[in-house]
Amino acid sequence: MALKSVRTPVLEIYYYEYGPETGWPVVLSHGFPYDPHAYNEVAPGLTQDGARVLVPHLRGFGPTRFLSSSTIRSGQQAALGSDVIALLDALGIEKAIVAGFDWGGLASCVATALWPERVVGLVSYAGYDIYNREEQQQAFDPKLECVMWYQHLFQSERGRLCLAANRRELCRLLWKQWSPTWSWNDDLFDRTASSFDNPDFVDTVTHCYRYCLGTKEGDPSLEHLEKILASKPKISVPAITLDGTQDPLKPGGSAAHDSMFAARHERRVFDVGHSFPMEAPDAFAAAVLDVHHWHVQAGNDGSQA
């Protein structure tokens, strides 16, 4: 595993790379409040099958930095998905499998929906994650609204200050609430939490949830992409969606999402919480490998082309 960096039009993205440069490429994207350590036990199983695994620090996390001080610290879905494609562009990769959870699942879904010609296959926890902002204005079940307390908190300046001053305590609480049956150790959390010290972490995180809930506007340069995403375009490449029965954020998981997938789609359910690749790394790796094998069986050689 090596930590590398590459420049895109907006970011200098730092990423971990596993496996040979000649391997079949896969991008594993983490979520909030996590970082690339989420895939420590996933990546080795993929490289054993010949993969070239790229695990980036998302915008606002770890050493990844914006190139310009004037760029909006956007966490909107079009920004996250665009970053996946920009990473592929910067590395000269034509096509890849994309996979992720939480923000990373959203980023992977967005990249696949907008640029299907760049994606071999998709693995997403939990399901089809692309949102329509207008739909987000409607109230959810009170039990789910309660679990989403952090999203409501981040709408206010008080919430932004709370995250800025207490980012480790707040994120540790989310880990506990979202993965109630997972026994993680302090070393893992501390290694992850160092990524929250990024100077753009607070602004990017709060913008993500303010944009989603309609209290903050997005990056004007991404508006044309957001209009496409608002129509909820279908996923047109082979996909596996993963669900965790212990995740309070995803009641029902992707059970009703099958109609959003126009190509081969399988749903797999496991007795885990929100931190899927850390709680069930073998299952996550198996899903990526299966999507790769589907690609090979369809008459492709498993390379970038």
Side-chain angles (χ1 to χ4, degrees):
M1 167 179 78
L3 181 62
K4 301 181 178 182
S5 70
V6 67
R7 286 201 168 194
T8 72
V10 176
L11 302 167
E12 181 166 12
I13 298 177
Y14 279 77
Y15 64 97
Y16 288 101
E17 183 166 356
Y18 303 75
E21 289 190 7
T22 56
W24 50 274
V26 54
V27 179
L28 304 178
S29 298
H30 68 82
F32 164 80
Y34 307 96
D35 86 338
H37 287 100
Y39 294 104
N40 282 358
E41 296 182 42
V42 174
L46 302 180
T47 59
Q48 290 175 8
D49 205 274
R52 177 188 183 186
V53 183
L54 309 169
V55 191
H57 285 271
L58 299 195
R59 53 172 57 204
F61 292 78
T64 290
R65 294 291 187 273
F66 287 86
L67 299 181
S68 172
S69 60
S70 63
T71 302
I72 181 173
R73 272 42 179 171
S74 171
Q76 67 194 94
Q77 58 183 353
L80 299 176
S82 295
D83 289 345
V84 173
I85 301 301
L87 176 64
L88 296 181
D89 288 343
L91 293 174
I93 296 173
E94 183 181 350
K95 294 183 179 182
I97 292 174
V98 296
F101 75 113
D102 195 85
W103 284 23
L106 172 60
S108 299
C109 285
V110 167
T112 303
L114 293 177
W115 296 278
E117 71 280 2
R118 304 297 301 278
V119 178
V120 170
L122 167 71
V123 174
S124 176
Y125 178 87
Y128 184 93
D129 227 10
I130 297 171
Y131 58 82
N132 178 303
R133 290 180 80 202
E134 291 187 7
E135 293 177 358
Q136 295 297 312
Q137 309 309 307
Q138 304 303 312
F140 295 129
D141 183 278
K143 291 181 180 178
L144 182 56
E145 294 286 7
C146 180
V147 174
M148 292 168 54
W149 62 268
Y150 65 101
Q151 296 189 21
H152 300 301
L153 176 66
F154 294 160
Q155 303 306 308
S156 68
E157 178 63 12
R158 174 175 170 174
R160 193 190 72 80
L161 293 173
C162 179
L163 179 62
N166 306 284
R167 62 192 74 188
R168 279 171 168 73
E169 295 86 346
L170 191 153
C171 293
R172 179 185 288 271
L173 180 59
L174 294 179
W175 276 37
K176 290 181 177 179
Q177 291 183 346
W178 296 353
S179 297
T181 60
W182 178 40
S183 297
W184 43 273
N185 59 57
D186 288 339
D187 287 342
L188 176 59
F189 179 81
D190 291 340
R191 288 197 302 271
T192 301
S194 65
S195 290
F196 310 156
D197 294 329
N198 183 303
D200 299 310
F201 176 77
V202 173
D203 287 342
T204 304
V205 169
T206 53
H207 182 271
C208 170
Y209 296 108
R210 292 178 183 184
Y211 178 82
C212 179
L213 298 188
T215 61
K216 190 82 170 181
E217 291 308 308
D219 185 334
S221 70
L222 299 173
E223 183 59 27
H224 65 295
L225 298 179
E226 290 293 350
K227 288 181 179 179
I228 297 172
L229 295 172
S231 70
K232 297 230 181 144
K234 292 187 177 183
I235 300 296
S236 59
V237 306
I240 293 176
T241 56
L242 302 170
D243 288 326
T245 59
Q246 300 300 318
D247 185 356
L249 279 176
K250 299 288 184 179
S254 60
H257 295 186
D258 191 61
S259 64
M260 302 309 297
F261 295 88
R264 181 175 180 177
H265 169 231
E266 288 187 11
R267 175 185 179 234
R268 300 178 181 180
V269 182
F270 298 85
D271 189 29
V272 296
H274 194 69
S275 307
F276 195 103
M278 289 187 277
E279 297 181 63
D282 291 344
F284 199 97
V288 174
L289 290 172
D290 284 347
V291 167
H292 169 64
H293 294 153
W294 293 352
H295 178 61
V296 173
Q297 292 165 5
N300 299 285
D301 62 5
S303 66
Q304 293 181 26

